[in-house]
């Protein structure tokens, strides 16, 4: 893997829990996976099973409850890091870090339809990066579709830099530790 | 229909081979398997060709196997035009650690540049 990570550290961000009021005046709390008010896994299955096709990105979340369960099983495994944004008992969003084979972690973030555009993504990703940093993660990367400007702006705002241009998608990376 | 399948040795390309054989057998298509040298594949191109021949032999399906030297994407597109193939078939991409589909550079080139229909097998 020849990816170059930024010299400048992203953040540092505080780990969860992070409480805030979103731009639609909703009280939201970002908590690590497993610390939610109800069964995290089951509510995420519900959230992703009802996901709008237009919010799918690069083939995820997968389609159909069984595939959603398999996928969530993988990305919430013992070697992964996950946070959930809670609005009461409902997941407004979810973000995950999954290890690659090179000691770094791939990041993805999802905000449920009616919660988009309210600043939840920013808090969610800061919470996840704080959670990762707390557990000694140094390097994080992601890919994003070229046309997805809102997502690219969010990633740049929290400290990701563009590292590669693979054609259909853009690759970005962030450093969580001090060099 | 004359179908051109590109195989470079990545997992998705070998899965595409199995599916394309099934499909060609069912539809009575004329299948040509082009073995290309995919720089992103960990497998040596000679081994890819042997693997392709073995899988074909195991199914008893008769398909021509060709080696394409040079840049895989442009050679596939060129062959499809020169020999009047109706369709190019490729693997549908590898997945990242967290399950995102990542198209290889060959698929991207072929999708953008082919003048015939392109099928990606999922």
């Amino acid at each position: 893997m020849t990816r170059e990570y930024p010299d400048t550290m992203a953040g540092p961000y505080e780990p969860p829990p992070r409480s805030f009021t979103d731009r639609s005046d909703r009280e939201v709390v970002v908590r690590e996976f497993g610390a939610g008010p109800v069964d995290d896994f089951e509510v995420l299955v519900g959230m992703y099973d009802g996901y709008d096709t237009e919010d799918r990105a690069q083939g995820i979340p997968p389609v159909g409850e069984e595939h959603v369960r398999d996928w969530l099983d993988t990305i919430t495994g013992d070697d992964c890091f996950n946070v959930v944004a809670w609005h009461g008992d409902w997941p407004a969003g979810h973000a995950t870090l999954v290890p690659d084979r090179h000691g770094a972690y791939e990041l993805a973030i999802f905000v449920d339809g009616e919660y988009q555009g309210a600043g939840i993504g920013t808090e969610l990703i800061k919470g996840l990066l704080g959670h990762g940093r707390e557990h000694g993660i140094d390097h994080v990367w992601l890919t994003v579709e070229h046309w997805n400007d809102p997502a690219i702006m969010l990633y740049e705002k929290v400290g990701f830099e563009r590292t590669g241009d693979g054609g259909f998608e853009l690759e970005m990376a962030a450093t969580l530790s001090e060099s | 229909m004359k179908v051109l399948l590109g195989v470079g040795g990545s997992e998705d390309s070998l899965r595409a081979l199995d599916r394309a054989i099934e499909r060609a057998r069912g539809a009575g298509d004329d299948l040509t398997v082009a073995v290309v040298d995919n720089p992103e594949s960990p497998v040596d191109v000679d081994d890819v060709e042997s693997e392709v021949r073995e899988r074909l032999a195991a199914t008893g399906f008769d398909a021509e196997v060709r080696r394409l030297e040079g840049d895989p994407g442009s050679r596939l597109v060129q062959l499809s035009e020169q020999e009047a193939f109706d369709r190019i078939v490729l693997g549908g991409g590898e997945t990242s650690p967290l399950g995102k589909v990542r198209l290889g550079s060959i698929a991207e080139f072929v999708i953008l540049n082919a003048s015939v229909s392109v099928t990606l097998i999922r």
Side-chain angles (χ1 to χ4, degrees):
Chain A
M1 187 71 56
T2 53
R3 184 183 303 116
E4 293 216 2
Y5 290 91
D7 295 328
T8 318
M9 176 173 57
Y13 300 112
E14 290 302 314
R18 299 171 70 96
S19 299
F20 59 99
T21 306
D22 79 358
R23 286 203 286 271
S24 300
D25 270 335
R26 293 174 290 216
E27 295 298 321
V28 178
V29 192
V30 174
R31 298 184 186 280
E32 64 179 272
F33 182 84
V38 289
D39 185 332
D40 300 65
F41 191 91
E42 290 304 321
V43 297
L44 287 180
V45 170
M47 177 181 114
Y48 284 121
D49 201 24
Y51 226 63
D52 200 331
T53 311
E54 77 173 38
D55 291 329
R56 208 180 293 159
Q58 295 145 287
I60 57 171
V63 181
E65 187 182 329
E66 280 315 299
H67 291 121
V68 166
R69 284 183 182 276
D70 287 348
W71 174 65
L72 279 174
D73 259 336
T74 307
I75 66 172
T76 58
D78 289 341
D79 51 353
C80 304
F81 297 93
N82 285 265
V83 297
V84 179
W86 293 96
H87 176 225
D89 288 349
W90 185 249
H94 166 222
T96 182
L97 287 170
V98 178
D100 65 17
R101 293 188 205 130
H102 308 274
Y105 286 75
E106 184 183 7
L107 178 145
I109 175 172
F110 294 90
V111 176
D112 201 20
E114 63 172 299
Y115 293 96
Q116 291 174 6
I120 291 173
T122 306
E123 292 297 323
L124 197 52
I125 198 166
K126 286 179 178 175
L128 181 66
L129 295 178
H131 187 43
R133 181 176 66 94
E134 174 188 46
H135 286 87
I137 293 179
D138 293 325
H139 294 129
V140 173
W141 59 274
L142 60 86
T143 60
V144 56
E145 286 146 326
H146 275 289
W147 45 263
N148 196 347
D149 290 328
I152 294 169
M153 277 164 57
L154 164 63
Y155 298 139
E156 284 182 332
K157 187 169 72 178
V158 299
F160 279 82
E161 293 179 15
R162 296 167 191 234
T163 51
D165 191 340
F168 287 178
E169 57 194 20
L170 185 71
E171 187 186 86
M172 303 178 82
T175 298
L176 302 188
S177 54
E178 285 178 271
S179 48
Chain B
M1 193 158 76
K2 265 184 84 175
V3 177
L4 177 62
L5 170 74
V7 176
S10 58
E11 245 177 71
D12 64 312
S13 73
L14 292 171
R15 223 170 26 240
L17 170 65
D18 295 339
R19 293 278 299 279
I21 293 170
E22 259 172 58
R23 167 85 204 168
R25 193 202 294 273
D29 287 341
D30 169 15
L31 178 69
T32 297
V33 183
V35 176
V36 297
D37 194 357
N38 180 2
E40 291 165 20
S41 163
V43 189
D44 182 77
V45 64
D46 290 327
D47 296 337
V48 176
E49 185 177 338
S50 327
E51 178 70 30
V52 167
R53 290 189 186 282
E54 268 173 42
R55 290 192 189 207
L56 279 168
T59 59
F61 185 75
D62 189 24
E64 189 184 350
V65 179
R66 307 259 290 258
R67 268 286 267 281
L68 291 189
E69 308 292 340
D71 178 69
S74 53
R75 293 288 290 116
L76 281 167
V77 169
Q78 198 181 28
L79 184 65
S80 72
E81 288 164 3
Q82 281 169 350
E83 302 191 9
F85 280 91
D86 300 298
R87 184 177 293 274
I88 299 175
V89 178
L90 296 168
E94 304 271 85
T95 53
S96 73
L98 65 75
K100 284 188 175 180
V101 173
R102 308 193 77 171
L103 279 189
S105 57
I106 299 173
E108 285 193 12
F109 183 90
V110 170
I111 288 169
L112 294 172
N113 293 291
S115 54
V116 297
S117 296
V118 179
T119 299
L120 299 183
I121 295 193
R122 284 278 149 77

